[in-house]
Each structure stands twice: as structure tokens, then as C-alpha cells.
Amino acid sequence: MMVRRLRFTVVIMTIFLTSVFWHRKLLQDYLVQVFENYNELYQDEGMKATTLPAKTELQMKIDAIFDKTLMLIPNAAFTHFNKSTSGENSKAFIVNPRARYCVGEDFVVQLDMYDYLGNRKTYGGDFIRPRLFSSELGASVSGTVKDFNNGSYHVHFPLYWAGKAKVSPLLFHPSEGVAAVWRARHSSEGVLGFQGRFEKHGQNVASKCGFKLDKEEGKEICEYLDPVYEEAFYCYKVPNFTCESLNEMRGYDLSIPHITAAEKKMFERKNIAVEIPQMFEAITVTNCNSLTVNQKPKCQTGMGSPFPSGYFFNNLWNPLYCNMTDYKSAENFTNCLQGKKLYLIGDSTLRQFIMFFTEGIKIVNYFRYHGSGWAGWHMALEAINMEKDIYVSYKRHGFPLEHPGFYYFKEDMYTSRQIDRLAGGKDTIIAITMGQHFRQFPLKIFIRRALNIRRAIEQLFLRSPDTKVIIKSENTRELFSPVEMQGDFHGYTQYLILREVFQGINVGFVDAWDMTVASGNVVVHPPGYIFRSIMSLTFSFACP
């Protein structure tokens, strides 16, 4: 608009000056000045319209991983619930059925998907969680799903044990549901809101916080920026309080659903994790040939983790690529940890570790903490064994945390910053997890955090290459968890990213996702033999 007005002014002035100014030199000098000003303004406006700040290397990495993940999301528009995929109407049958099945072979099941009206689906993208199991043998393994993008899938199960084996293919979400939860996750800055409590001279005032805040008239914004790792969150500044007086934080459900009322029917409990009917009974697997068993090395950091990464047998995890030590007694853990410092950084699924050491097998005692169980789960914890020279600490991974009550915020640090503060060394073990508290936010926030953790680990290895670092993937959780805040599809995409980010680095990767899917677990803090296997693999890496 400004440029057009200037053009009009130039034309009028040209006519006027031509008639008024008889001195040609005067007219020429004036017009040259006008057009120079016009060109300068035009160029400035063009620059403002087209120039964008260059992306940092971290931002480009984030975008590349996000775009790769985006390719997995189906373009399945929701039109009506009856046209979404129905687990009950779909069918499972064996590809090339045979009289006998042998240990070491690949067993393939085909899934043909139908909607609630009985019509064959013509596109893919359904979120399917399959497992092959034997309750009698305490055996189970995940299946690998191949999507033909036409409503049919092949599920490949490796046969690892002799005996009965039953297939359990679960339609977790239809493709229309996958598209809906993905859209919902990226429709805003998240479905969880935050309040920060500012304190001064015994007085406190709460204010809104988040990863992004809109500018509001009369409100200043406090920025809490880590410039090295490009991490930031914000709070509206409380009048007469400094930004540095932020002391406590809490999260709360924003109660702003991005899934429509019609779409919600797909996420009712009865429509989640529906067993697909099978056209066959349990199969019997035999040792057909004398197989040559390759000796596996002991589990150690730096090993690649395939998928499936292992299987359960006799209720014990068997990694495919290494021999795991079965940690089944207090003595096993004490021998591993004697003379060592163990740093647990993450969420409550790692807090479960320190609770096990203190309240379960009791090889260490809490220091300056007198609670038990999940009370005060958000608190940082320390535990020691003076006689055996064992130190164990648990700290949160830093913002964000999903906790409805205000908790002390000052001691929170991003995982990358916590790693930066550690000297490391041969007697230092660091176990890290993240995921459950990121499901409520756009995926790029999780990707950024994962990449930053890798960067901090790489710096740690430069100064202390003999430090043991273990990355634990997140677990599956309860089926009744609200899908927008805690749904397992969010966890699945984060799991894939974690696998990719930590390839080719000297860490141990504990595939808790694969373990919890294979076992059929639906508890965010896995009990019994599942937790025992997670612990055993973790400390097989820590003490090879």
C-alpha cells in the first residue's frame, strides 16, 4: 500500500513540477532524489517480505526427522465412524499354511481390514500391535507389520521356541484415528497447560507458562532460554516480581479437545486394542532340524538393537544380539554397583529403579528422604550404601512434567545440562529415559530434546569415554489413558525417533517398548518379570 501511494505521488509531482519548474537542472535533481528514495523503500519492503532467519543446524536436523516420521502418518480423512476400520469385522489368516512350523522360521499372518459396515478397506495406516505368545511357556515376541497400503497387512513373527504359539493381533487405532491424533497433537502448542508460581518475601502469585505464549496487552513475557541447546519456555511476568523469582510449577489439562465429538467414538475404550478375529487355531512349533546356535557376546554398550530386539521365554527377556545377565537377587545388583555412582535421569519409570533399590531389595538407603511408594514421585532422590560405596540419585528430566500440584522447580535441569555437569568415568553409570511427559506436545519438542541429549553424551565421551550410558525407551501404558494426552501412538512415534537418534553411539539401548508390547503389558510402571528384564538388560550394559 505504501509503495502504491508513493508511485502515485511521484506521477503527480512529475506533472506538477514540469509545469512549475522551468529550470531543467532543478527538476532533474529533484526527481533523481525522489526515485532514489523510492527504490530504497521498495528494496527494504521486499527484504522484509522475503528474508527469513537462517535455520540452525539443530533445527534442520529436527525438521529432517520430523518429515521422515510424517511419512508414516496416513492421509485418512474421517467422514463417519462406520467407515473407520473395525477390528471385529477384520480378519486374520495364515499366509501359506503348512502342516508343521519349525523353530528359526518366519511365520507370516495376513490381516485384511474392514469397516463397521463390512466394507473392505482400500488404504492402510492402521495402528496394529501384534504379538505371538505362549502363556504355558512364558514366551512372547512382537511382530513386524508390513503395510501394503490397500487394507491388507503382513505380520512377520520369528519363531524362537518349540511348543504352542498363539497370535494376538490388536487393532489399536484405525487409520482414521491415527490421522486424528496426529492432527490433534500438532493443532496447538500442546494439550497440557502450565502455571508457574513466583515468590518474593513470603508472597506468591501464579502465572501462565508454556512453550509459547501469545503477546497480550499490558503483559510482559519472561523467557527462560538455554541458548546452547536452543531450549526455551515462557511465563507471563507477574507485576512487581522478577523473572528470576519463578520457584514452582504445575501442569494442568487445558480441556481443549482437538479431536471432534464424532471422532471421539473411535477412542472409546471398547474400540481401543480390539482383537482381530483369527481364521486359525494356535500353531505348534517344533525343532525340525539341528540348528547351529551361534554364541552371542555379552551385552555391552555400542551394540545395535534390531526389531524385534528379543523375545521372552520362561518369563525372561532374551536379546537377539547379546547374552543378558539375569539380575535376580540383591547380591547381583550390589556386585554391579559396588564402588559406583548411578545417575537416573528421566521420569517415574526410572524412579521405579531407585524405589526398587531402596524399598524392594534394600541395597541402599534414602538420604534426606523419609517417604515411600509413589508419594512425592516428582521429587529428586538420593540413596547411599556407605559400606559398599554405592551412590544412586534420581532426578527429573526437566520441563515439561505432567503434575497437577505445584512442585519445587529450581532444581530442575534439562537432561543435557545434567550430563554436562557430570565428570563421568569408569565408575559412573548414567541411565536416561524420556517420553511419557512429552506425549502432550508437538513431536518436534521431543525430537529437539533427544538430539540435545545425544549431543551432551557425545561431549561426555570426549572427556570420559569409559562412562557407561544407557538409554531406556518408554513403556506402553494403560489402555484407558486419554489419547490426546497420553495415547500410545504418541509413544510409538517417539520410540521410533529414539531408536534413530541413538544409533551409532556407544550407549546401551534398553528396548522397553518392545518388551512391553511383546508381553502385552498395559501398565505404565511394568510389574514382575517385565520390570526384572528391563533392570537385567540395563545393568548388563552397565556391568558387562
Side-chain angles (χ1 to χ4, degrees), residues 77-85 115-117 121 123 174 176 262-263 265-266:
F78 178 85
T79 56
H80 192 278
F81 172 76
N82 286 338
K83 292 188 177 181
S84 62
T85 313
D115 64 21
Y116 285 88
L117 300 175
K121 294 300 290 284
Y123 50 88
E176 295 82 5
E263 289 171 333
K265 192 172 181 180
M266 292 187 291

Side-chain angles (χ1 to χ4, degrees), residues 31-72:
L31 290 179
V32 166
Q33 183 64 46
V34 169
F35 279 108
E36 282 180 352
N37 292 339
Y38 166 78
N39 287 333
E40 183 179 340
L41 177 61
Y42 184 80
Q43 289 171 359
D44 286 347
E45 288 207 350
M47 290 293 288
K48 289 177 184 177
T50 59
T51 302
L52 295 173
K55 288 187 177 182
T56 65
E57 182 181 354
L58 175 60
Q59 288 170 334
M60 289 189 289
K61 288 180 179 179
I62 293 169
D63 288 347
I65 294 175
F66 181 83
D67 291 344
K68 185 176 179 179
T69 309
L70 186 60
M71 295 174 64
L72 304 175

